[in-house]
Amino acid sequence: MTSNTNAASFSLKLRLIVLLMLLFLLLALGLFWANLALTRDFLSRQLASHAQDAATVLSLRLAPHFRHADSAAIANSVDVLFDSSYYREIQVTNARGDLMLSKTQAIRMQGVPAWFVDRFPLTPPPGKAEIGNGWRLAGQITVTSHPGLAYRQLWQTALSNLGLSLAGWALASLIAFFSVAAALRPLSAMEKLARRIAKGEFPRLNRQPRVRELHHIGHALDDMSQSLERMLGEKSHLVASLQKELNHDSVTGLANRRYLLSALAAALAEGEESPHLLVIGRIEGFTDYNKRIGRDAGDMLLRHIGQIWSAAASQATASLAARLDGPQFALLLSVPDAASAHKQLRALSEAAELQASEVNLPIHLGAAFSHRCVAPSAWLARVDAALRQAESQTPGASVLADGGEPRPQMIHADLAELLAGGKLDIDFQPMFAAADGRIEIQEALARLNSNGERHPIGPWLAEAQTRGLLGRLDRLALQAATEVWNESLPLDQSISVNIAAASLLQGEAAIWLTDLPLHTPDLRGQLLLELPLDALRLPSLAAPLARLRANGIGLIMDRFSLAPDALDLLAQIRPEWVKVDAALVRTLEHTSGNRLLLASLCEYARGLKIRTCACGIENEALRDAAKAAGFDALQGHLFGWPAPLGKGRRD
């Protein structure tokens, strides 16, 4: 795997440039070597000619001295020539071949390295001439030229040729570099385009290449990018259309009764993780109003009321607005306590009363928490009883059933005191791969410990935000999850931690995440943050999320539901995972249309290179349906409730 990666790391441009530089270098060295060899041969011939000329001249000069057998004159003539230092050796022999005189001097060179002399030896042949005495041979002279000057000339020539060769190689390499870079610049753009297409992005080439082959390839990449974008656009439109048709009311655009029942079942399955409040409002006298004024006016009134309930849902966490049968509306909210529930009821009642007063039709509200309800029908029955009680009172009245306490045993300990210990307990709920059942991600769920009892932190989130403790709470959750990961999980096991959007902007959690590479470098690439779909709409989150993801921290889009802008937001943010809300997953049990809807959603996410997880898997039938729809991972109480992680699992 490593060797393949290293081999693929060399670009075509680099390969071509290196190849051309090597070829030019070989050519330059070859020319240098050939020129040096020719120069050496030329100098050798020159030395041989010089020696032969000297031997001929000297033989003529010595001939008279041989007739008189004047040895002193012979030696004197030879010395005059030898002392010029142009000759390495001069020998004189008589007619019988006996050596009469020999002059030899060592080879001395200045400014020429010894290794150069050894590597490029100059061995010119000696010049020979006969000395005559009339018609008889009197002797022979042999002259060998001194190669010192020739070596110096050869060395200087070698240096100049080498400099010219290297200069030519450098110039040719620069020309090759800029030529190849210019020719392959469109190829680099096409490579970037292909990489972005592989990531699920669909840009265009800014400029088509002029080279014919590259032009065709670039054109094909552009067409492929447009085709994939069009296919995903059609898939997005299909998903949105199916969602609108199957799970939304045609008049108001709110969720319909079937989708609300799925949301109620999902909320009940969460248990005490986060208390939920269900509110139902009914317009009194709407049937008579519809008959008297007309259906169009009645539909307009329903749309106006629907806008009020939709606005109330958008301002709350984990909320859903729906229209039930006729003039009935429902609102599912996550609220921590009865005081918050009464506040929501007052705000909703005032807004609805203002709208209904224009047509003189009062709206009554009934509400109940989810505690002690085992099924959506029991929850609806409790809310319906509260609604009937409200209708028996003054117009526009609202009633919260059972006094509104969401939990029978509320903890009265101060939140700051609970956090003073500096540590939270952690439960884990794994996400299992749909294909083979292995654990994809361990989701860390923070717990507050009060007098030895562990409690979900959901009911305290609103208080933590009000008192400025949310950053500390999230930092402690991150730190506690990291400690468990260090002690009990394999290094290649990913974990996810739920975090508030505000904690990413500033505070202790933001600082801790920024310093992650310093205090826990092994966690890079293994930590993912879970943020709900509603929080990811904030424009201010774009910059901190980009920095964290560049730092090796992944993103999970949690509680994904098919809101009007959900698919566009998914394509814009491109998280590593998207966890589809349990309310939407549970629609798999209703109709085949919803199975097609979620299968199309999974296919759309897969086209964006985003992996999908089905949440709220509570039974085997729902598990099988989620697998068939194409989800990459499954999570739910069917596989076990959140629990502490056992020790000793590092290996």
Side-chain angles (χ1 to χ4, degrees):
M1 180 68 72
T2 304
S3 60
N4 292 339
T5 303
N6 293 336
S9 63
F10 293 101
S11 66
L12 177 61
K13 180 175 73 174
L14 180 60
R15 289 172 182 266
L16 288 177
I17 290 174
V18 171
L19 177 61
L20 289 175
M21 290 178 68
L22 289 176
L23 290 176
F24 289 147
L25 182 60
L26 291 175
L27 179 61
L29 293 177
L31 291 175
F32 163 74
W33 190 271
N35 194 9
L36 187 60
L38 290 174
T39 303
R40 187 180 65 168
D41 292 342
F42 171 76
L43 291 174
S44 296
R45 290 194 299 270
Q46 286 292 97
L47 291 174
S49 177
H50 177 258
Q52 185 61 48
D53 291 344
T56 302
V57 172
L58 188 58
S59 67
L60 294 175
R61 185 178 299 174
L62 294 179
H65 302 307
F66 266 82
R67 283 196 293 268
H68 300 290
D70 189 353
S71 299
I74 292 173
N76 186 50
S77 297
V78 171
D79 288 341
V80 171
L81 184 64
F82 186 75
D83 289 343
S84 65
S85 300
Y86 291 131
Y87 304 97
R88 182 169 63 87
E89 186 178 18
I90 298 178
Q91 291 182 349
V92 180
T93 60
N94 59 20
R96 294 188 301 271
D98 297 331
L99 182 64
M100 296 176 58
L101 180 65
S102 177
K103 294 286 185 178
T104 304
Q105 63 177 339
I107 299 177
R108 295 187 302 270
M109 289 160 293
Q110 294 180 355
V112 181
W115 64 265
F116 185 78
V117 175
D118 295 336
R119 184 64 186 83
F120 300 98
L122 286 173
T123 55
K128 296 181 179 182
E130 295 178 346
I131 303 173
N133 185 6
W135 294 100
R136 292 178 300 173
L137 177 66
Q140 188 180 35
I141 186 167
T142 302
V143 180
T144 303
S145 297
H146 195 290
L149 294 177
Y151 271 119
R152 185 181 303 171
Q153 181 64 35
L154 184 62
W155 172 247
Q156 293 173 353
T157 303
L159 290 179
S160 61
N161 286 340
L162 181 61
L164 289 174
S165 298
L166 292 178
W169 169 74
L171 179 61
S173 298
L174 285 175
I175 295 175
F177 175 81
F178 288 110
S179 299
V180 171
L184 297 184
R185 188 175 295 113
L187 189 60
S188 299
M190 287 188 286
E191 179 191 5
K192 293 178 182 178
L193 175 63
R195 289 178 179 274
R196 294 184 66 182
I197 291 176
K199 293 179 180 179
E201 303 174 9
F202 309 104
R204 304 289 185 272
L205 282 176
N206 295 326
R207 184 173 58 185
Q208 288 289 345
R210 295 183 179 180
V211 181
R212 184 183 64 182
E213 291 82 358
L214 294 182
H215 178 80
H216 291 325
I217 296 175
H219 211 30
L221 281 174
D222 257 355
D223 290 343
M224 182 175 66
S225 179
Q226 294 178 27
S227 298
L228 289 174
E229 186 177 28
R230 184 169 55 252
M231 290 170 57
L232 282 179
E234 293 172 354
K235 184 65 65 176
S236 173
H237 179 71
L238 173 63
V239 172
S241 299
L242 285 172
Q243 167 72 352
K244 185 176 181 180
E245 180 179 350
L246 294 170
N247 298 316
H248 283 263
D249 176 60
S250 59
V251 176
T252 63
L254 302 179
N256 57 20
R257 183 183 185 89
R258 180 169 52 197
Y259 189 78
L260 176 66
L261 290 174
S262 298
L264 296 180
L268 291 175
E270 292 183 10
E272 299 299 323
E273 288 287 335
S274 181
H276 288 84
L277 177 73
L278 176 62
V279 182
I280 294 182
R282 186 156 51 216
I283 306 175
E284 184 178 344
F286 176 78
T287 303
D288 294 337
Y289 174 83
N290 207 15
K291 292 179 180 179
R292 185 175 69 255
I293 305 300
R295 185 179 182 85
D296 292 341
D299 288 346
M300 183 174 294
L301 175 62
L302 292 177
R303 281 192 288 270
H304 288 162
I305 299 297
Q307 291 174 0
I308 295 173
W309 287 69
S310 179
S314 64
Q315 297 174 4
T317 304
S319 57
L320 174 69
R323 180 197 170 198
L324 304 179
D325 302 331
Q328 292 190 103
F329 293 86
L331 188 63
L332 179 62
L333 302 168
S334 177
V335 294
D337 49 36
S340 300
H342 283 294
K343 182 179 178 180
Q344 290 282 357
L345 282 176
R346 284 195 301 271
L348 191 61
S349 179
E350 291 173 359
E353 183 179 358
L354 180 63
Q355 179 64 41
S357 62
E358 299 179 1
V359 293
N360 197 25
L361 295 178
I363 299 179
H364 299 89
L365 303 178
F369 278 99
S370 57
H371 70 281
R372 295 194 301 272
C373 293
V374 295
S377 57
W379 197 358
L380 286 170
R382 182 182 297 176
V383 177
D384 188 61
L387 179 59
R388 288 196 301 270
Q389 183 179 351
E391 289 175 334
S392 65
Q393 299 177 9
T394 59
S398 59
V399 173
L400 180 61
D402 301 328
E405 287 295 336
R407 300 172 68 191
Q409 295 180 349
M410 285 294 292
I411 298 176
H412 299 289
D414 183 75
L415 179 61
E417 294 178 0
L418 292 174
L419 298 179
K423 184 171 180 176
L424 297 175
D425 292 340
I426 295 293
D427 287 348
F428 282 93
Q429 187 173 26
M431 289 167 45
F432 293 94
D436 53 17
R438 60 184 174 83
I439 296 178
E440 287 279 4
I441 298 173
Q442 288 276 12
E443 181 182 1
L445 302 171
R447 300 289 187 250
L448 284 171
N449 195 317
S450 176
N451 298 324
E453 295 184 6
R454 298 154 56 90
H455 303 277
I457 64 173
W460 286 274
L461 289 178
E463 179 185 350
Q465 186 169 7
T466 302
R467 299 178 59 183
L469 297 173
L470 195 56
R472 180 183 301 177
L473 188 63
D474 284 336
R475 192 264 298 171
L476 291 175
L478 287 165
Q479 189 172 340
T482 301
E483 290 176 0
V484 177
W485 179 84
N486 273 322
E487 295 172 358
S488 306
L489 285 173
L491 289 175
D492 59 350
Q493 176 66 69
S494 298
I495 61 171
S496 65
V497 180
N498 293 272
I499 191 170
S503 297
L504 295 180
L505 300 177
Q506 60 182 357
E508 296 181 25
I511 296 173
W512 189 93
L513 289 169
T514 302
D515 296 338
L516 175 65
L518 298 177
H519 54 68
T520 317
D522 292 339
L523 198 58
R524 277 179 58 96
Q526 304 301 332
L527 174 64
L528 298 99
L529 302 180
E530 294 197 22
L531 282 92
L533 171 67
D534 295 337
L536 290 172
R537 291 190 176 96
L538 298 174
S540 56
L541 277 184
L545 279 178
R547 287 194 299 270
L548 292 174
R549 298 179 75 179
N551 207 22
I553 299 176
L555 175 64
I556 297 178
M557 183 180 286
D558 194 15
R559 293 185 177 276
F560 181 84
S561 60
L562 288 174
D565 62 340
L567 295 177
D568 292 336
L569 198 63
L570 187 66
Q572 176 185 349
I573 296 178
R574 307 289 179 96
E576 280 71 24
W577 284 84
V578 57
K579 296 176 72 171
V580 181
D581 189 69
L584 189 56
V585 172
R586 282 182 172 272
T587 61
L588 286 168
E589 297 181 314
H590 295 158
T591 62
S592 58
N594 280 306
R595 288 191 285 274
L596 175 61
L597 165 67
L598 290 177
S600 300
L601 174 60
C602 292
E603 187 176 348
Y604 176 73
R606 196 173 300 116
L608 296 174
K609 307 302 179 183
I610 300 171
R611 305 182 71 185
T612 54
C613 174
C615 298
I617 304 298
E618 308 298 331
N619 54 65
E620 294 182 357
L622 197 56
R623 177 199 62 192
D624 296 339
K627 285 184 178 181
F631 281 96
D632 297 300
L634 310 173
Q635 187 179 41
H637 296 155
L638 175 66
F639 310 105
W641 289 79
L645 197 64
K647 301 289 183 181
R649 298 177 57 184
R650 192 58 165 176
D651 54 357

